[in-house]
């Protein structure tokens, strides 16, 4: 071609060359982004310097001089005022955030699937209950629900010096929280844990064997009951033969003494604070409404012909749901479900409003106010949410690739 | 040609960058025509917005006085309600020009947060409130108590120090905002509500039965509250500091909102003339007009008037002057002279 044989250099030729133009434009874009970033960082450093501040993470080694509400995190890291450092405060925040996120994910999934399936039910009571639930909970802002549950829970509870006993002497609750027996492992309890792990492995083995057997002979083994049996009998025998190496510390309630000392005694038994209960309740119920809609959408996406074909083969309705509909619906459900799981983690930061000591509350609240390292501390917090979200997403993607349609 | 485009883009960005932190606070404030003032999210008597969005309170009037000193008009100020947690970031990022939000002057804040405290407009101290039914007479009987407070303040540190030094155990429940603290305390979640005594006086009215609660006699901390500015702008710092000094000096000299203009004309007293701009160029040295203090006093009155109007014995807060009286009246308010 004429153009190709022309070897003389010309600007117009370069501008008209699609490839060269593309590369140049992209390089310019990259340069602009780099300059923009440089400007941001430089401006921040200059401004910090003007204010007499510096960047650095040395503050993490300083001891923190404030009390933190007694929760899972303070128990896990053995928080002690005047001894624990800001680094520990950070991990206490993370622990409390994770606890409520994981509990929230579990509860929201259970409630969400139940509501989603109920909404598709032919029973008018189930159906309208689920519809009402979904429409109310997903349309009220989460922060308001958080306040509602917290203050509703508080107002409904008996006072600090009274109690409502769930199991007399063992478990009870009042406005300061839910008191349960606390397990105290004694020497040799790790053997029981090992026994539990081995039994779990055994159950997997049995399941695998049962599947193969069914493929070969068509006989169905009662895998579920076998599994339950294994999980109960083996660890149970180990537990008993070691002389029951687990002690349950019971909560203690005093009705005499000074007014302040009456009520449940601090440090005895396991305490679940009302802030934690309210956050958990609000997060689970709110997110469950969205999950219910995702589940309903997923099930409706499976063509009705599948159900009819399954019935035609004589498969019972609950087996049809479990073995035919849900596995296919899962392919549609998993991706949006992942987003909801990520939302739970991120929304847990709203708990700061009702004094649940999660990451935003203790680290970006109390600790930040004492040391004033905004950039470092907000960055550390963003990393936590990012990491947790990415791990959740990675797990869900892995699960998705397992259940998705395998094309042959 | 392409090269030139990149070059000019780079130059443009570089100019933009250098322009980002040039102007002084006074220049920036004059250019936008108002002062952005950081206040609380609602603390009656100190900074509180009514139904139609008008802000009133001792801290609010501090900002109005500065606005009057700068613009000759006390209404040229906009208010940003800030949580205890947001306040320092809002100030250091330049979102507000003055932080007048019942903020305690401490060494850490002064030296580590890149801020300067321009003075003290209220001497406060942290106190504790308990339900009368608890039968507690002194804070030393509070071993084992559940205590409610809000995050992002020095109160968490003070209460922890107090309980540690008295060898008492306690549990601290820290909310983000004062409204939730009051609601939780009212519901009985905690035995004790702790914050500055001025705050206890202000929040008490929100309880279901204000008379069923008692403020304990112990004052467990020194809380000098005052306006805060960014570090590194001495001119702005001086304007805020001397506006506060002018209000306190005005009370000492008996200059009030009503008589300020008349006093300027009718006096031969050099101290009054210097304060109100009749003598010397004190305003110009601050970068303002010479009647700066006159404007501030005409806008909000002297310190005493502002106090009586917002937090004094005739307001719902019913706070006596106490240590906040002038030094000549047995208090500790003592402003440096203008000369």
């Amino acid at each position: 071609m004429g153009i190709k044989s022309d070897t003389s250099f010309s600007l117009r030729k370069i501008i008209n060359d699609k490839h060269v133009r593309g590369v140049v434009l992209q390089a310019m874009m990259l340069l602009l982004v780099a300059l923009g970033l440089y400007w941001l960082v430089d401006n921040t450093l200059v401004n910090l310097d003007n204010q007499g501040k510096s960047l650095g993470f040395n503050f993490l080694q300083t001891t923190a001089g404030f009390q933190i509400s007694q929760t899972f995190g303070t128990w896990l890291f053995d928080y002690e005022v005047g001894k624990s450092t800001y680094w520990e405060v950070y991990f206490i925040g993370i622990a409390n955030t994770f606890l409520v996120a994981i509990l929230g994910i579990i509860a929201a999934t259970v409630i969400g699937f139940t509501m989603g399936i109920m909404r598709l039910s032919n029973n008018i009571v189930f159906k309208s209950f689920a519809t009402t639930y979904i429409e109310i909970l997903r349309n009220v802002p989460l922060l308001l629900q958080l306040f509602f549950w917290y203050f509703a829970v508080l107002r409904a509870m008996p006072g600090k010096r009274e109690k409502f006993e769930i199991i007399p002497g063992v478990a009870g609750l009042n406005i300061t929280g839910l008191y349960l027996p606390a397990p105290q492992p004694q020497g040799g309890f790790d053997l029981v844990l090992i026994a539990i792990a081995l039994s779990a492995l055994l159950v997997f083995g049995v399941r695998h064997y049962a599947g193969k057997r069914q493929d070969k002979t068509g006989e169905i083994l009662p895998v579920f009951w076998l599994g339950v049996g294994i999980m109960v009998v083996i660890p149970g025998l180990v537990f008993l033969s070691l002389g029951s190496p687990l002690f349950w510390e019971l909560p203690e309630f005093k009705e005499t003494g000074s007014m302040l000392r009456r009520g449940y005694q601090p440090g005895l038994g396991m305490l679940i604070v009302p802030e934690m209960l309210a956050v958990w309740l609000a997060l689970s119920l709110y997110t469950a409404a969205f999950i219910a809609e995702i589940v309903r959408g997923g099930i409706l996406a499976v063509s009705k012909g599948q159900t009819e074909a399954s019935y035609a083969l004589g498969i019972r309705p609950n087996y049809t749901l479990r073995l035919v509909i849900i596995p296919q619906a899962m392919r549609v459900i998993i991706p949006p479900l992942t987003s909801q799981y990520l939302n739970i983690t991120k929304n847990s930061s709203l708990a700061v409003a009702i004094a649940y000591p999660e990451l935003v509350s203790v680290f970006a609240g109390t600790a930040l106010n004492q040391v004033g390292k905004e950039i470092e501390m907000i960055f550390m917090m963003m990393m936590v949410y990012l990491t947790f979200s990415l791990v959740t997403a990675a797990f869900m993607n892995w699960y998705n690739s397992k259940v998705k349609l395998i094309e042959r | 040609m392409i090269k030139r485009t990149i070059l000019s883009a780079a130059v443009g960005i570089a100019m933009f960058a250098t322009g980002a932190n040039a102007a002084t606070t006074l220049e920036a404030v004059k250019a936008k025509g108002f002062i952005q003032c950081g206040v609380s999210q609602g603390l009656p008597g100190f900074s509180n917005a009514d139904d139609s969005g008008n802000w009133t309170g001792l801290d609010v009037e501090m900002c109005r006085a500065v606005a009057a000193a700068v613009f000759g008009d006390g209404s040229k100020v906009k208010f940003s309600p800030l949580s205890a947690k947001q306040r320092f970031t809002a100030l250091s990022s330049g979102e507000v020009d003055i932080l007048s939000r019942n903020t305690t002057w401490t060494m850490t804040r002064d030296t580590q947060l890149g801020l300067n405290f321009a003075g003290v407009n209220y001497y406060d101290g942290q106190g504790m409130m308990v339900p009368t039914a608890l039968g507690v007479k002194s804070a030393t009987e509070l071993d084992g108590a559940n205590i409610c407070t809000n995050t992002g303040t020095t109160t968490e540190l003070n209460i922890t120090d107090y309980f540690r030094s008295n060898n008492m155990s306690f549990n601290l429940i820290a909310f983000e905002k004062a409204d939730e603290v009051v609601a939780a305390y009212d519901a009985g979640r905690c035995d004790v509500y702790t914050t500055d005594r001025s705050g206890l006086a202000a929040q008490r009215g929100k309880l279901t039965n204000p008379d069923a609660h008692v403020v304990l006699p112990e004052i467990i901390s020194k809380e000098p509250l005052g306006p805060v500015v960014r570090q590194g702008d001495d001119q702005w710092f001086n304007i805020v500091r001397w506006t506060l000094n002018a209000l306190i000096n005005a009370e000492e000299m008996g200059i009030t909102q009503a008589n300020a203009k008349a006093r300027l004309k009718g006096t031969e007293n050099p101290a009054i003339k210097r304060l109100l701009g009749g003598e010397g160029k004190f305003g110009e040295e601050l970068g303002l007009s010479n009647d700066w203090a006159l404007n501030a006093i005409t806008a909000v009155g002297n310190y005493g008037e502002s106090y009586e109007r917002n937090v004094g014995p005739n307001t719902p807060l019913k706070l006596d002057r106490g240590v906040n009286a002038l030094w000549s009246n047995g208090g500790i308010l003592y402003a440096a002279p203008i000369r």
Side-chain angles (χ1 to χ4, degrees):
Chain A
M1 297 289 286
I3 294 172
K4 270 194 176 166
S5 61
D6 183 2
T7 52
S8 70
F9 182 83
S10 100
L11 194 62
R12 173 168 301 168
K13 206 174 74 191
I14 290 174
I15 290 173
N16 286 336
D17 187 322
K18 232 185 195 169
H19 184 68
V20 172
R21 205 168 53 197
V23 168
V24 168
L25 278 175
Q26 289 196 24
M28 272 172 65
M29 206 57 220
L30 194 68
L31 190 72
L32 271 178
V33 171
L35 278 171
L37 273 180
Y38 171 77
W39 173 72
L40 263 179
V41 171
D42 184 60
N43 209 28
T44 309
L45 288 177
V46 169
N47 278 331
L48 277 178
D49 197 42
N50 286 347
Q51 293 169 18
K53 290 172 136 187
S54 60
L55 284 175
F57 289 92
N58 290 337
F59 70 91
L60 287 173
Q61 313 300 331
T62 323
T63 51
F66 50 84
Q67 177 73 277
I68 300 177
S69 177
Q70 281 144 27
T71 42
F72 175 68
T74 46
W75 168 79
L76 192 64
F77 291 97
D78 234 342
Y79 184 77
E80 196 176 336
V81 182
K83 287 207 178 118
S84 301
T85 60
Y86 282 108
W87 192 233
E88 279 162 86
V89 172
Y90 180 55
F91 281 109
I92 288 169
I94 295 177
N96 282 338
T97 295
F98 281 8
L99 177 70
V100 82
I102 290 166
L103 289 178
I105 284 175
I106 296 169
T109 310
V110 173
I111 304 170
F113 270 76
T114 315
M115 286 295 161
I117 292 170
M118 266 168 76
R119 201 173 174 182
L120 289 172
S121 157
N122 291 324
N123 182 321
I124 189 81
V125 178
F126 282 175
K127 192 175 176 167
S128 43
F129 175 77
T131 310
T132 318
Y133 171 88
I134 290 165
E135 292 307 337
I136 291 177
L137 275 112
R138 70 171 177 172
N139 289 316
V140 175
L142 179 56
L143 187 61
L144 293 183
Q145 293 193 29
L146 213 54
F147 283 140
F148 173 79
W149 288 118
Y150 184 54
F151 288 110
V153 166
L154 281 193
R155 293 279 177 186
M157 294 283 174
K160 192 191 172 188
R161 276 155 280 279
E162 294 149 47
K163 61 182 167 175
F164 170 77
E165 290 199 306
I166 302 166
I167 308 168
V170 178
L173 84 173
N174 67 16
I175 198 164
T176 58
L178 174 63
Y179 293 82
L180 301 170
Q184 306 274 346
Q186 309 290 309
F189 189 71
D190 27 352
L191 283 176
V192 179
L193 291 179
I194 293 171
I196 292 174
L198 288 178
S199 320
L201 274 180
L202 190 61
V203 170
F204 270 103
V206 168
R207 236 186 83 184
H208 187 70
Y209 167 75
K212 278 204 161 163
R213 201 178 120 109
Q214 191 182 348
D215 285 347
K216 219 192 262 170
T217 63
E219 286 174 48
I220 301 174
L221 276 181
V223 179
F224 180 77
W225 294 114
L226 268 177
V228 169
I230 291 170
M231 290 305 287
V232 168
V233 171
I234 297 180
L237 281 178
V238 174
F239 183 76
L240 289 176
S241 65
L242 287 167
S244 309
L246 188 68
F247 168 72
W248 291 91
E249 186 190 72
L250 297 180
E252 193 189 332
F253 189 89
K254 270 193 187 164
E255 294 187 54
T256 50
S258 80
M259 281 301 265
L260 271 167
R261 280 297 187 183
R262 287 183 207 172
Y264 280 105
Q265 300 301 299
L268 286 175
M270 181 162 64
L271 164 65
I272 299 169
V273 291
E275 290 80 24
M276 155 84 206
L277 289 175
V279 175
W280 185 27
L281 205 61
L283 274 181
S284 319
L285 293 180
Y286 177 74
T287 317
F290 291 90
I291 293 179
E293 285 298 89
I294 292 169
V295 169
R296 181 171 74 111
I299 290 174
L300 287 179
V302 180
S303 128
K304 200 158 176 12
Q306 297 280 329
T307 318
E308 285 162 357
S310 172
Y311 287 169
L313 288 172
I315 300 174
R316 275 172 287 159
N318 70 335
Y319 276 103
T320 304
L321 191 66
R322 259 175 51 201
L323 300 174
V324 179
I325 309 299
I326 295 216
Q328 297 187 68
M330 280 313 250
R331 291 172 196 146
V332 184
I333 292 173
I334 293 295
L337 189 64
T338 310
S339 310
Q340 292 305 326
Y341 285 176
L342 301 184
N343 277 344
I344 289 190
T345 315
K346 289 178 282 179
N347 285 341
S348 73
S349 61
L350 286 173
V352 63
I354 58 161
Y356 178 64
E358 44 71 68
L359 193 57
V360 176
S361 172
V362 292
F363 200 62
T366 312
L368 174 59
N369 198 59
Q370 305 300 335
V371 291
K373 298 268 182 194
E374 296 96 346
I375 294 179
E376 295 90 331
M377 294 172 89
I378 302 289
F379 174 77
M380 283 172 75
M381 256 178 26
M382 278 161 51
M383 284 300 116
V384 170
Y385 286 106
L386 187 65
T387 312
F388 192 63
S389 294
L390 287 178
V391 169
T392 313
F395 174 77
M396 293 303 282
N397 287 342
W398 167 79
Y399 186 66
N400 190 33
S401 66
K402 264 195 68 175
V403 297
K404 80 176 174 198
L405 197 62
I406 297 162
E407 290 176 26
R408 276 178 268 248
Chain B
M1 195 192 121
I2 285 157
K3 238 186 194 167
R4 202 183 299 156
T5 322
I6 295 171
L7 203 69
S8 54
V11 169
I13 287 168
M15 281 169 70
F16 188 37
T18 47
N21 48 51
T24 68
T25 309
L26 181 62
E27 283 167 18
V29 161
K30 278 186 172 166
K32 66 182 173 187
F34 61 88
I35 289 172
Q36 193 75 40
C37 172
V39 290
S40 78
Q41 289 160 319
L43 181 65
F46 288 84
S47 43
N48 199 26
D50 64 14
D51 298 342
S52 43
N54 297 317
W55 286 87
T56 51
L58 195 66
D59 285 338
V60 164
E61 290 187 355
M62 185 63 229
C63 282
R64 291 203 194 281
V66 176
V70 173
F71 298 108
D73 180 353
S75 66
K76 291 199 167 165
V77 49
K78 290 188 181 172
F79 296 97
S80 305
L82 300 171
S83 73
K85 197 167 103 178
Q86 299 163 327
R87 57 184 162 180
F88 299 120
T89 317
L91 180 65
S92 55
S93 67
E95 199 185 305
V96 296
D97 304 307
I98 306 177
L99 181 67
S100 185
R101 192 207 171 281
N102 48 294
T103 302
T104 307
W105 185 357
T106 67
M107 180 164 173
T108 314
R109 287 175 177 178
D110 210 346
T111 55
Q112 288 177 24
L113 299 188
L115 313 167
N116 274 333
F117 283 78
V120 177
N121 69 341
Y122 189 87
Y123 288 94
D124 206 347
Q126 187 173 336
M128 286 171 249
M129 182 156 65
V130 294
T132 321
L134 216 52
V136 170
K137 294 277 175 290
S138 151
T140 52
E141 300 164 29
L142 288 178
D143 188 23
N146 274 330
I147 299 179
C148 280
T149 188
N150 46 329
T151 56
T153 63
T154 45
T155 52
E156 291 150 289
L157 213 58
N158 293 335
I159 196 84
T160 309
D161 284 353
Y162 182 80
F163 274 75
R164 275 175 77 195
S165 60
N166 284 298
N167 252 327
M168 299 191 292
S169 68
F170 74 111
N171 190 25
L172 190 68
I173 302 144
F175 292 81
E176 194 184 24
K177 283 173 65 194
D179 286 342
E180 277 80 58
V181 187
V182 177
Y185 171 72
D186 207 16
R189 173 72 181 92
C190 12
D191 310 300
V192 183
Y193 172 22
T194 181
T195 189
D196 295 348
R197 283 167 73 96
S198 62
L200 290 178
Q203 304 289 10
R204 193 179 186 155
K206 295 183 188 166
L207 296 172
T208 328
N209 186 2
D211 297 329
H213 301 269
V214 58
V215 177
L216 298 177
E218 282 84 0
I219 296 178
I220 63 166
S221 69
K222 291 197 284 188
E223 305 286 341
L225 311 179
V228 198
V229 296
R230 276 182 293 279
Q231 192 170 308
D233 188 341
D234 287 354
Q235 184 191 34
W236 186 246
F237 171 71
N238 283 335
I239 290 173
V240 177
R241 155 170 283 184
W242 285 97
T243 305
L244 176 59
N245 279 341
L247 297 182
I248 297 170
N249 277 322
E251 187 186 4
E252 202 176 328
M253 295 173 191
I255 302 168
T256 63
Q257 189 168 16
N259 73 12
K261 281 190 176 129
R263 288 292 292 275
L264 173 61
K265 281 182 198 134
T267 188
E268 284 310 314
N269 181 337
I272 294 178
K273 286 181 89 171
R274 281 196 293 267
L275 173 65
L276 298 178
E279 198 178 299
K281 291 193 158 82
F282 294 96
E284 280 174 35
E285 297 298 330
L286 285 175
L288 306 174
S289 63
N290 283 326
D291 57 359
W292 62 285
L294 177 67
N295 290 334
I297 297 160
T298 339
V300 302
N302 65 40
Y303 180 83
E305 290 179 282
S306 186
Y307 187 100
E308 296 299 332
R309 193 185 312 132
N310 294 303
V311 298
N314 297 324
T315 65
L317 272 77
K318 298 187 179 58
L319 289 166
D320 287 327
R321 280 300 281 271
V323 291
N324 289 296
L326 291 174
W327 63 285
S328 45
N329 294 338
I332 55 172
L333 276 195
Y334 185 100
I338 292 177
R339 62 167 187 254

